[in-house]
């Protein structure tokens, strides 16, 4: 359990939440672990927990405290709200800004600047930690080109220009991604990003983990009171969770890409765990996906210091922190949206 930006996150599945006076009480086997005044909270997010008392649900609805229920894997299940919901105003602001390219652009710029910054530092950390085992000059060149793209992203005059900067930088990043693969390089060869279908084992894993990440970003946005389908960089398209795709951009390299590289370089996946289809697609076997999911859950438990909040949190809560920061910006509490900058 932890409190982050006036939101209580309950990640222990054995915790039961109840109401005691004007306090929310966290219990495990009838033992009180935590007591917090309701007036200090804007939201409560629970992950696969034991339950919540009807009295607490009613108190949260009455006081306009967002109460959200997630599975242990971070999938949004449901939320409790009362007859009046402050999130209506938040979403109206989101829709209004999304309808205007000029209003969307500052948020989109920061998102892409964060993505490029993080992509660069994935390369820089590889140079620092594994220089003798890779072509450091090749990585340094790509890193320098991506660094030059960051100010271009911050100054882009349109969403189209911003996407152009992002696309060029992403091409530079993936052009050297194979250097980061240190084990089984022949079996886990990577020759560029391929999506539908993935043409190699690395792309198969990247696509699967990106799908997990966009799902968790979507859940975080829903819990923060935002509409995951209405974005600022990614525009509206039926069925597309555009804002979730926006939010995950900053986390692709430091969380998803590094996770896949860790599985390969630690030999936690082997070539025989993949299937070659007749159309050339490479797919993971069912047991491979299950093992990857288990490893993903463990990775999300690892702690980092959030660069903006200066608090130690789990990787799994980073999408929630960013969703809350975006909501605060839209409410006018922050002058601009602070992207997640990993180093």
């Amino acid at each position: 359990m932890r409190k982050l930006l006036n939101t209580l996150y309950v990640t222990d599945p054995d915790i039961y939440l109840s109401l005691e006076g004007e306090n929310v009480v966290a219990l495990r086997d009838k033992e009180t672990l935590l007591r917090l005044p309701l007036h200090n909270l804007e939201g409560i997010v629970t992950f696969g927990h034991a339950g919540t008392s009807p009295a607490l649900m009613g108190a949260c609805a009455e006081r306009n405290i967002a109460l959200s229920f997630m599975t242990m894997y971070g999938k949004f299940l449901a939320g409790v709200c009362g007859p009046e919901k402050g999130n209506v105003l938040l979403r109206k602001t989101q829709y209004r800004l999304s309808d205007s390219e000029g209003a969307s652009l500052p948020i989109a710029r920061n998102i892409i600047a964060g993505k490029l910054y993080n992509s660069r530092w994935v390369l820089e950390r590889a140079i620092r930690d594994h220089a003798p085992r890779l072509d450091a000059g090749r990585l340094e060149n790509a890193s320098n080109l991506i660094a030059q793209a960051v100010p271009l992203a911050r100054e882009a005059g349109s969403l189209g220009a911003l996407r152009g900067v992002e696309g060029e930088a992403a091409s530079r990043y993936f052009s050297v991604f194979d250097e980061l693969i240190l084990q089984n390089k022949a079996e886990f060869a990577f020759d560029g990003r391929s999506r539908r279908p993935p043409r190699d084992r690395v792309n198969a894993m990247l696509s699967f983990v990106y799908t997990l990440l966009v799902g968790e970003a979507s859940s975080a946005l829903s819990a923060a009171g935002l509409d995951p389908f209405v974005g600022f960089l990614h525009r509206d398209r039926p069925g597309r969770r555009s804002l979730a795709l926006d939010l995950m951009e900053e986390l692709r390299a430091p969380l998803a890409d590094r996770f896949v590289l860790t599985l390969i370089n630690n030999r936690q996946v082997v070539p025989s765990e993949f299937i070659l289809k007749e159309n050339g697609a490479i797919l993971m076997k069912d047991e491979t996906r299950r093992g990857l999911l288990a490893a993903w859950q463990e990775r999300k438990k690892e702690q980092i210091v959030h660069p903006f909040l200066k608090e130690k949190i789990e990787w799994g809560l980073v999408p929630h922190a960013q969703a809350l920061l975006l909501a605060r910006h839209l409410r006018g509490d922050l002058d601009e949206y602070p992207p997640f900058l990993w180093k």
Side-chain angles (χ1 to χ4, degrees):
M1 289 182 298
R2 71 168 295 110
K3 184 182 173 187
L4 181 67
L5 290 172
N6 293 329
T7 298
L8 175 65
Y9 290 90
V10 182
T11 55
D12 187 330
D14 297 323
I15 298 295
Y16 182 83
L17 299 177
S18 67
L19 182 69
E20 186 177 291
E22 291 295 312
N23 301 296
V24 56
V25 178
L27 303 165
R28 183 195 290 127
D29 296 329
K30 299 183 179 181
E31 177 188 357
T32 299
L33 303 180
L34 179 72
R35 179 182 283 102
L36 282 175
L38 283 175
H39 69 261
N40 286 342
L41 294 175
E42 296 176 3
I44 300 173
V45 180
T46 68
F47 293 82
H49 77 303
T52 299
S53 73
L56 179 59
M57 292 184 195
C60 288
E62 187 177 294
R63 292 162 176 79
N64 201 26
I65 298 171
L67 177 57
S68 303
F69 300 94
M70 311 280 187
T71 69
M72 278 304 297
Y73 292 97
K75 181 181 178 182
F76 182 82
L77 294 174
V80 173
C81 61
E84 296 182 5
K85 191 69 175 172
N87 289 345
V88 171
L89 298 178
L90 174 63
R91 290 198 177 198
K92 286 181 71 174
T93 300
Q94 177 189 355
Y95 299 149
R96 184 174 66 254
L97 296 183
S98 177
D99 281 341
S100 166
E101 177 170 330
S104 297
L105 188 55
I107 299 173
R109 284 185 189 132
N110 283 6
I111 287 170
I112 293 304
K115 175 182 181 177
L116 302 186
Y117 179 96
N118 294 336
S119 298
R120 182 193 176 214
W121 279 106
V122 167
L123 303 183
E124 289 291 326
R125 181 169 286 198
I127 296 169
R128 184 196 71 185
D129 294 342
H130 306 291
R133 304 177 63 185
L134 42 78
D135 188 339
R138 189 173 171 225
L139 287 179
E140 287 173 357
N141 181 59
S143 174
N144 290 335
L145 291 171
I146 294 172
Q148 293 169 22
V150 174
L152 297 178
R154 292 194 180 277
E155 298 164 5
S158 68
L159 290 176
L162 180 62
R163 293 189 189 100
V165 172
E166 185 274 334
E168 180 65 24
S171 177
R172 298 287 186 184
Y173 172 76
F174 280 118
S175 73
V176 296
F177 195 77
D178 61 302
E179 289 288 343
L180 308 182
I181 299 169
L182 307 176
Q183 300 288 347
N184 289 331
K185 287 186 75 76
E187 294 82 358
F188 288 94
F190 180 85
D191 189 29
R193 188 79 176 97
S194 58
R195 298 170 178 81
R196 300 182 185 88
R199 297 292 181 179
D200 57 57
R201 297 176 177 91
V202 181
N203 272 293
M205 288 190 289
L206 286 174
S207 292
F208 184 69
V209 176
Y210 288 163
T211 299
L212 296 178
L213 187 54
V214 76
E216 295 186 10
S218 180
S219 295
L221 292 163
S222 295
L226 293 163
D227 187 337
F229 289 86
V230 179
F232 300 106
L233 174 67
H234 294 84
R235 310 312 285 169
D236 294 348
R237 184 183 297 174
R240 183 168 76 173
R241 292 175 286 185
S242 296
L243 189 60
L245 291 171
D246 287 356
L247 191 69
M248 73 174 286
E249 291 291 354
E250 306 155 34
L251 303 179
R252 285 180 186 265
L255 180 53
D257 295 356
R258 289 178 64 246
F259 170 70
V260 169
L261 290 167
T262 297
L263 293 180
I264 297 171
N265 292 334
N266 289 348
R267 298 183 184 271
Q268 292 175 256
V269 288
V270 295
S272 61
E273 294 182 294
F274 298 80
I275 302 171
L276 173 62
K277 305 294 286 187
E278 293 180 357
N279 64 353
I282 300 288
L283 304 178
M284 291 184 291
K285 294 180 179 179
D286 289 343
E287 57 266 31
T288 312
R289 284 194 293 271
R290 287 194 292 268
L292 190 150
L293 280 169
W296 178 248
Q297 289 299 102
E298 289 302 311
R299 172 58 64 89
K300 291 195 300 180
K301 295 177 184 177
E302 294 181 8
Q303 293 195 332
I304 61 164
V305 175
H306 191 281
F308 181 80
L309 301 174
K310 308 301 181 185
E311 291 186 42
K312 185 176 286 188
I313 66 171
E314 297 83 5
W315 266 115
L317 291 183
V318 172
H320 291 267
Q322 294 308 120
L324 290 172
L325 290 170
L326 177 57
R328 290 201 165 191
H329 167 60
L330 296 180
R331 289 190 175 106
D333 297 332
L334 293 172
D335 291 338
E336 62 178 350
Y337 166 67
F340 179 80
L341 302 177
W342 175 83
K343 188 174 181 180

